[in-house]
Amino acid sequence: MALLFRATTENASRHRGNQVTNRKNIHNSEVPLVCQACEARHGGVCAALTPSQLTRLSEHTTKSAHERDTDMSRHAEQTDSYANILSGVVKLTKTMPDGRQQIVGLQFAPDFMGRPFAREDGLTMEAATPLRLCSFPKSLLEEMLDESPQMERRLHDQALVELDEARDWLLTLGRKSAREKVASFLLLIATHIDPERPVEKGSIVIELPLKRADIADYLGLTTETISRQLTHLRKAGIIEIEDRRRITIPSISALRHASETDRG
Amino acid sequence: MALLFRATTENASRHRGNQVTNRKNIHNSEVPLVCQACEARHGGVCAALTPSQLTRLSEHTTKSAHERDTDMSRHAEQTDSYANILSGVVKLTKTMPDGRQQIVGLQFAPDFMGRPFAREDGLTMEAATPLRLCSFPKSLLEEMLDESPQMERRLHDQALVELDEARDWLLTLGRKSAREKVASFLLLIATHIDPERPVEKGSIVIELPLKRADIADYLGLTTETISRQLTHLRKAGIIEIEDRRRITIPSISALRHASETDRG
DNA sequence: CGTCCTATTGAAATTCTTCAACACTCGTGG
DNA sequence: CCACGAGTGTTGAAGAATTTCAATAGGACG
């Protein structure tokens, strides 16, 4: 069992955020250094805590790194912990008895993973990319949730955001053509992968966190169709394919248009 | 504007739940009579309130009835209220610029309608059937939410349930055939429309809350396909069609099977 | 250099949609 | 009481989009 996931685990106290990039100039002496990186990016649930609560929590956090394709539900179960995503992408997948699969959600930094006080059913969570987490014991977090309604509201908010995203995706799966679906996916990645960047203007390059088969499972299509539609978008000048995983988008608004209409 | 929705509105205090059917033998003298009906069925958010809070809330509730196709967002906006569904079904719809539509959720009694402290975007809410609501002023409810973490947790729970349902539906839209989709829809209705009834055994009759065009918008198909698949299910002996709106299901498990496999 | 995994491309097969005609139901007014 | 019309649902045939099957190519790694 333990062999099934390989994680490099370091105690947070030995680790002062020295790997952190993208960091803004924040010097809040009250906030634990380990947490500043998170805060700097765009506060996850922890942002709802007071500095003293944050200090208490940070004393029990563990940072860990995981390879692509690691089963994260297993990790959560084994360590009896919840976690924030520091970097990387997690895919949530549903599977039918006969093997058909559908990715029902993607989680990016700084999303919270897990469900305090509630069941998560029939869903597998896998690292879609190399992943870094900041984990805390379930018991401690649930304690703090009982103390801090703000933190619970934060989780509630994340659930509502995920609900909105799931519903947007229902529209995509139910009513869009394959071409529009692929464009919608690229748009989704472009707007989520780096929340720092203002995404409206200019040419951007995105790194796809999923391989073709995963994209297919996300869009309810086959890998062949993904491939064909990508080359179609390329020929239409809406994207440029640098390499299987890197795509440049000359104009986000052109892409957005393509995500809502088939005909030019 | 006001002409656009016609509602018969009665003050709750003049209304002692006398229309209530399906009521169990509960005699809790501390709980306001207006609320007992709700509780008896299967506690909505109000179940998290103390009797005294419930009394306070019940003094400001308004029951109302609405015809099919009423725009409920308008109602919520105009009365500045949130509401519990007492009976009937509400459909949540997303629409694309070019008119394509997708139903992204159905709400049944005793679901809570509205989103305290958060935005609900690009979504229209319509009565799919005649509807009865129990509404309360937003301000009062938000006050009580600040007082009662249990109530907020209840809302949080509902959001998580809706999220799970949306994700199940993603699998349905993304990976199932038209036949399986229609079977899945019937199964959904059978399991939601009357939460009282144990749903596993025997033959049951369901009343469809949606017309064919709506079912199509829920399943990402066309009305023609819905029609064809319904007659297919009928010929396969999985359902009997009593009339356009009433369908009997001889065996729920056969239907469940049909919702996951095409070939017999 | 061979092998495994991933991605692309083509041609045939299938599923679902589109277009078109027709049937049923219900309420209204002659 | 019947006729009419609008809204709703069903059925058929042709067409389009996507899948399936099959073959090939590119990269990463031992």
Side-chain angles (χ1 to χ4, degrees):
Chain A
M1 277 292 185
L3 293 175
L4 285 179
F5 78 108
R6 220 166 316 158
T8 64
T9 305
E10 320 121 10
N11 187 296
S13 58
R14 288 194 284 108
H15 213 67
R16 298 286 174 200
N18 42 320
Q19 306 176 342
V20 177
T21 56
N22 265 334
R23 175 156 162 205
K24 288 178 183 162
N25 256 355
I26 289 188
H27 298 292
N28 181 347
S29 57
E30 292 174 320
V31 173
L33 274 165
V34 265
C35 299
Q36 285 191 14
C38 245
E39 293 232 323
R41 284 182 67 91
H42 34 252
V45 279
C46 304
L49 296 173
T50 64
S52 77
Q53 286 177 311
L54 206 46
T55 303
R56 184 161 134 240
L57 185 59
S58 70
E59 278 160 5
H60 299 273
T61 59
T62 306
K63 293 195 176 178
S64 57
H66 306 267
E67 310 184 326
R68 186 170 299 192
D69 294 332
T70 310
D71 178 344
M72 301 314 298
S73 343
R74 204 177 291 276
H75 173 256
E77 204 177 292
Q78 290 200 354
T79 62
D80 199 45
S81 66
Y82 300 118
N84 275 330
I85 300 177
L86 295 177
S87 69
V89 177
V90 173
K91 57 182 193 199
L92 309 179
T93 308
K94 286 209 173 246
T95 307
M96 292 175 60
D98 65 3
R100 281 176 281 176
Q101 287 195 326
Q102 176 69 39
I103 293 180
V104 298
L106 292 179
Q107 302 200 285
F108 301 82
D111 288 350
F112 179 87
M113 285 175 41
R115 268 198 194 178
F117 311 119
R119 285 278 142 260
E120 192 126 31
D121 61 321
L123 215 139
T124 72
M125 308 173 59
E126 269 185 24
T129 66
L131 198 66
R132 287 188 310 126
L133 297 185
C134 176
S135 316
F136 8 81
K138 288 192 180 182
S139 56
L140 176 60
L141 190 87
E142 288 176 356
E143 224 172 82
M144 302 189 77
L145 277 172
D146 282 330
E147 288 170 18
S148 164
Q150 271 101 4
M151 196 178 194
E152 172 131 17
R153 186 158 299 171
R154 203 95 182 192
L155 281 183
H156 189 171
D157 285 344
Q158 180 179 318
L160 291 177
V161 168
E162 287 178 26
L163 180 57
D164 285 341
E165 289 175 347
R167 286 174 170 167
D168 282 342
W169 216 243
L170 283 173
L171 177 62
T172 298
L173 291 191
R175 288 303 185 198
K176 293 189 183 176
S177 69
R179 178 128 10 114
E180 293 167 324
K181 285 181 181 178
V182 172
S184 299
F185 170 74
L186 297 175
L187 192 59
L188 178 90
I189 298 305
T191 54
H192 280 71
I193 206 65
D194 183 0
E196 301 286 297
R197 170 204 299 281
V199 98
E200 277 317 314
K201 281 288 159 212
S203 162
I204 68 172
V205 182
I206 60 178
E207 168 109 11
L208 299 182
L210 304 183
K211 59 185 173 193
R212 301 289 185 272
D214 283 338
I215 300 175
D217 281 343
Y218 197 27
L219 294 172
L221 299 170
T222 59
T223 66
E224 294 93 329
T225 303
I226 304 297
S227 214
R228 287 189 243 272
Q229 296 306 330
L230 281 173
T231 76
H232 180 104
L233 288 171
R234 176 171 58 70
K235 286 179 181 164
I238 296 175
I239 61 173
E240 288 154 29
I241 301 180
E242 305 303 335
D243 117 20
R244 20 181 88 187
R245 287 277 186 161
R246 297 175 66 78
I247 288 186
T248 106
I249 302 169
S251 155
I252 285 278
S253 61
L255 181 62
R256 174 167 291 118
H257 184 259
S259 76
E260 293 178 336
T261 13
D262 260 348
R263 5 214 106 282
Chain B
M1 279 292 185
L3 292 177
L4 286 179
F5 79 108
R6 222 165 316 157
T8 64
T9 305
E10 322 118 11
N11 188 297
S13 58
R14 287 194 285 110
H15 212 68
R16 299 285 173 201
N18 43 319
Q19 303 175 345
V20 175
T21 58
N22 265 333
R23 176 157 160 201
K24 288 178 184 162
N25 255 355
I26 289 189
H27 299 291
N28 181 346
S29 57
E30 294 175 317
V31 172
L33 274 167
V34 265
C35 299
Q36 285 189 14
C38 242
E39 292 232 327
R41 284 181 68 89
H42 32 251
V45 280
C46 306
L49 295 173
T50 64
S52 79
Q53 287 177 310
L54 206 46
T55 303
R56 184 160 136 242
L57 184 59
S58 72
E59 278 160 6
H60 298 273
T61 58
T62 306
K63 293 194 177 181
S64 57
H66 305 267
E67 312 185 322
R68 189 170 294 195
D69 293 335
T70 310
D71 179 344
M72 300 315 299
S73 345
R74 205 178 291 275
H75 173 257
E77 204 178 292
Q78 288 198 356
T79 62
D80 200 43
S81 66
Y82 300 117
N84 274 331
I85 300 177
L86 294 178
S87 69
V89 177
V90 173
K91 58 181 191 198
L92 309 178
T93 308
K94 287 212 171 241
T95 307
M96 291 176 58
D98 64 3
R100 280 176 282 176
Q101 286 194 327
Q102 175 70 40
I103 294 181
V104 298
L106 293 180
Q107 302 200 286
F108 301 82
D111 288 351
F112 178 87
M113 287 176 38
R115 267 200 195 177
F117 310 119
R119 286 278 141 258
E120 193 125 28
D121 60 322
L123 212 134
T124 72
M125 308 172 60
E126 269 186 23
T129 66
L131 199 65
R132 288 188 310 125
L133 296 185
C134 176
S135 317
F136 7 81
K138 288 192 179 182
S139 56
L140 176 59
L141 189 87
E142 288 176 356
E143 226 172 81
M144 302 190 77
L145 277 173
D146 283 329
E147 289 169 17
S148 163
Q150 271 99 6
M151 194 177 196
E152 171 132 17
R153 185 158 298 170
R154 203 96 183 188
L155 282 183
H156 188 171
D157 285 344
Q158 181 179 318
L160 291 177
V161 169
E162 288 179 27
L163 181 57
D164 285 341
E165 289 175 346
R167 286 173 171 168
D168 282 341
W169 216 244
L170 284 172
L171 177 61
T172 298
L173 291 190
R175 288 302 185 200
K176 293 188 183 176
S177 69
R179 178 132 6 116
E180 294 168 325
K181 284 182 182 179
V182 172
S184 299
F185 170 74
L186 296 175
L187 192 59
L188 179 90
I189 298 305
T191 54
H192 281 71
I193 206 65
D194 184 358
E196 300 289 297
R197 169 203 300 281
V199 97
E200 278 315 315
K201 281 288 158 212
S203 162
I204 70 174
V205 182
I206 61 178
E207 168 109 14
L208 299 182
L210 304 182
K211 59 185 175 195
R212 301 289 185 270
D214 283 338
I215 300 175
D217 280 344
Y218 198 27
L219 295 172
L221 300 169
T222 60
T223 66
E224 293 93 331
T225 302
I226 304 297
S227 214
R228 286 189 243 272
Q229 297 306 330
L230 280 174
T231 75
H232 180 103
L233 287 172
R234 175 172 57 71
K235 286 178 181 165
I238 296 175
I239 61 173
E240 289 154 29
I241 301 180
E242 307 304 334
D243 101 29
R244 20 182 86 190
R245 289 276 186 162
R246 296 175 67 78
I247 288 186
T248 105
I249 302 170
S251 155
I252 286 277
S253 61
L255 181 61
R256 174 167 291 119
H257 183 257
S259 76
E260 293 178 336
T261 10
D262 260 347
R263 3 214 107 280

